[in-house]
Amino acid sequence: MISDLKYNLLVDAGDSVSRALLSRSISYNSINGILISHLHPDHYSGFAALVLQMKLNDRKEPLFIFVHHTLVKTLKDFLAASYIFIERMDFPLHFKGFNFESEILIAPGLTFISRKNTHLDEYQRYNPSLSYACGSFLFKSANKKVFYSGDIGSPDDLYLFKDDDIDIYITEASHVNFSSILSMSKALKPGKIVITHLSDENIPLIKENLMNTENDSMIMAEDGLILGV
């Protein structure tokens, strides 16, 4: 979640998102917008259930959905296939389809730019009729910059915003190894690096690597982690 003043943006909505918010005592209705990076299940499959929970909690305020413009119809169809019809909602759902490389205004003083990464490129040969839009993001707020990788496909994707001075750099560690992340940290020198997508398999290795590096700006993500910029 990225929060700026009175605006709360949820970034991705995997299958356990409703439970995760509940466990942290975060009201479903406190979320003003949802940003979906791509359509792997662990990044969007909880979206329909979360929208339904908002309805059951008597939400009245509009909900803004930010997703690449080629995926808007897919998300709407996903809601309809779950028997969640926009026309029956007690609150407006506004789908905001964006293009890569365009700066998008989320709220006054809060913007993002998305750039395509290579995470889904290998899948195109299976069904070329689908959209394989998958983005990494640079959020800007009050002269601060936060990078969020979502899922990526290669170490090159770590450098999509290499010309920006990044305050917090959030990257996954399932599709790139720690040495690539360490090389990025030396080259880009972000203020803080948060490593996500931790699994039972890679947690011990990452912990060991963190102990052996002199870079104290790196931390492992954990439930409930709060970072201020």
Side-chain angles (χ1 to χ4, degrees):
M1 184 110 72
I2 291 180
S3 298
D4 179 71
L5 298 176
K6 295 182 179 180
Y7 197 96
N8 295 315
L9 178 71
L10 179 67
V11 182
D12 283 333
D15 57 358
S16 61
V17 63
S18 296
R19 185 168 62 252
L21 293 170
L22 185 63
S23 69
R24 295 295 162 186
S25 300
I26 298 175
S27 168
Y28 302 133
N29 291 344
S30 71
I31 298 170
N32 304 105
I34 301 174
L35 170 64
I36 304 294
S37 64
H38 66 292
L39 297 191
H40 261 145
D42 58 331
H43 289 261
Y44 94 105
S45 63
F47 170 64
L50 180 56
V51 170
L52 179 59
Q53 288 296 329
M54 291 176 174
K55 175 179 172 61
L56 295 176
N57 280 268
D58 298 319
R59 183 187 182 99
K60 303 300 180 185
E61 296 299 316
L63 179 67
F64 294 86
I65 313 301
F66 300 91
V67 67
H68 191 265
H69 71 94
T70 61
L71 301 176
V72 170
K73 183 180 184 301
T74 303
L75 275 188
K76 288 182 176 179
D77 290 345
F78 178 48
L79 289 179
S82 303
Y83 308 114
I84 299 174
F85 301 105
I86 295 175
E87 298 80 5
R88 296 189 70 244
M89 293 294 102
D90 299 321
F91 58 93
L93 271 77
H94 299 297
F95 284 81
K96 301 292 186 179
F98 60 80
N99 294 312
F100 292 131
E101 303 295 341
S102 296
E103 187 168 35
I104 306 300
L105 178 67
I106 303 172
L110 179 61
T111 66
F112 74 80
I113 296 175
S114 179
R115 288 181 176 158
K116 183 183 181 300
N117 64 46
T118 62
H119 177 57
L120 295 180
D121 288 0
E122 64 177 305
Y123 295 96
Q124 296 185 35
R125 57 195 173 99
Y126 296 107
N127 188 340
S129 67
L130 296 177
S131 168
Y132 293 93
C134 182
S136 297
F137 301 87
L138 184 69
F139 299 93
K140 299 180 182 179
S141 174
N143 298 318
K144 300 294 183 179
K145 297 179 181 179
V146 176
F147 171 85
Y148 171 74
S149 77
D151 285 339
I152 56 179
S154 75
D156 290 342
D157 292 331
L158 295 172
Y159 299 88
L160 288 174
F161 292 93
K162 59 182 173 58
D163 295 327
D164 289 274
D165 294 325
I166 297 172
D167 296 284
I168 297 180
Y169 193 107
I170 304 170
T171 180
E172 59 110 335
S174 291
H175 301 94
V176 291
N177 55 41
F178 185 85
S179 63
S180 296
I181 296 173
L182 185 59
S183 295
M184 175 278 297
S185 72
K186 293 177 179 178
L188 303 186
K189 298 181 173 58
K192 188 175 293 294
I193 299 170
V194 182
I195 302 173
T196 67
H197 267 48
L198 303 172
S199 65
D200 291 339
E201 295 178 353
N202 67 12
I203 284 178
L205 179 60
I206 291 175
K207 280 185 175 180
E208 180 181 352
N209 281 309
L210 286 176
M211 290 177 60
N212 293 331
T213 179
E214 297 179 356
N215 191 332
D216 58 3
S217 67
M218 290 190 191
I219 61 174
M220 294 171 59
E222 58 185 27
D223 290 344
L225 177 66
I226 298 176
L227 295 169
V229 294

